[in-house]
Amino acid sequence: MLRMWRVAMTLGFTALELARIQFAFTVSFHIIFPAISIGLASFLAVLEWWWLRTNDSIYHDLFKFWVKVFALSFGMGVVSGVVMSYQFGTNWSEFSRFAGGVTGPLLSYEVLSAFFLEAGFLGIMLFGWDRVGKKAHFFATLMVAIGTCIGLTHWRIQKSIKILSLYTTNFTEPLSYQDSA
């Protein structure tokens, strides 16, 4: 890690530029995967509704295929979100101290409402085909779709606040790198 830091510094990057590159890499993944999850959750609810209504196996097969893509993108969105929140604490600690009263409640509200709703019913949606009835499974799929829609609102607000404020506030130097410069 120290060697990579020295190589990056010899290329002419400052600590601020390195922190921004690292954050840009993480936030780019966190934008892609939750966006896929948000769209796929509603699509899965529609597919399952069509399958229940028509009893056509093509909708069931499509659901089985796309639910795997959804599970992967949901997992990657969670992982990139956790990494991103840690980066705020390490790379942008002054920003977190200043804006934590705004971003903290938004994050906790999203976790307590949207994420718990999604995660709680995701297990039933993924593994409950033979364990619960068709209507209970459809209800779980609807709850996951509703959770992603609730999360969409918080997700868009948080990303707007975080990204814009990093470039518009006076917290230009990450505190964790000030001593090493």
Side-chain angles (χ1 to χ4, degrees):
M1 183 71 175
L2 185 60
R3 185 172 184 274
M4 287 183 1
W5 175 257
R6 287 185 183 143
V7 168
M9 294 305 282
T10 58
L11 292 175
F13 290 117
T14 64
L16 174 63
E17 292 167 337
L18 289 172
R20 286 185 173 173
I21 289 169
Q22 179 188 31
F23 184 74
F25 181 76
T26 305
V27 81
S28 66
F29 276 97
H30 192 63
I31 286 173
I32 291 169
F33 289 114
I36 293 170
S37 301
I38 289 165
L40 273 179
S42 298
F43 179 63
L44 289 170
V46 169
L47 282 176
E48 191 168 358
W49 178 72
W50 280 342
W51 174 65
L52 289 172
R53 191 163 185 220
T54 64
N55 211 16
D56 190 356
S57 66
I58 189 71
Y59 298 120
H60 184 261
D61 294 341
L62 283 170
F63 183 92
K64 288 284 201 169
F65 172 77
W66 284 108
V67 77
K68 294 172 188 171
V69 177
F70 174 79
L72 179 67
S73 65
F74 183 83
M76 291 298 292
V78 169
V79 169
S80 62
V82 169
V83 171
M84 190 175 64
S85 64
Y86 277 107
Q87 284 180 347
F88 274 109
T90 57
N91 291 355
W92 311 104
S93 57
E94 256 321 290
F95 168 73
S96 296
R97 191 177 358 265
F98 177 76
V102 174
T103 59
L106 284 172
L107 280 169
S108 62
Y109 182 67
E110 180 187 14
V111 168
L112 290 174
S113 61
F115 181 70
F116 282 171
L117 185 65
E118 291 171 288
F121 287 102
L122 183 65
I124 298 170
M125 189 175 94
L126 292 175
F127 307 112
W129 281 106
D130 299 327
R131 293 175 178 86
V132 297
K134 290 180 181 181
K135 289 182 181 179
H137 192 273
F138 180 60
F139 179 75
T141 304
L142 280 178
M143 291 298 105
V144 170
I146 290 169
T148 58
C149 289
I150 293 171
L152 170 66
T153 305
H154 302 295
W155 179 71
R156 291 175 71 190
I157 292 169
Q158 289 172 16
K159 299 309 171 265
S160 300
I161 290 172
K162 291 175 184 177
I163 292 170
L164 290 175
S165 61
L166 286 178
Y167 294 99
T168 58
T169 60
N170 294 327
F171 309 116
T172 56
E173 184 88 22
L175 288 181
S176 58
Y177 297 125
Q178 285 179 353
D179 296 332
S180 61

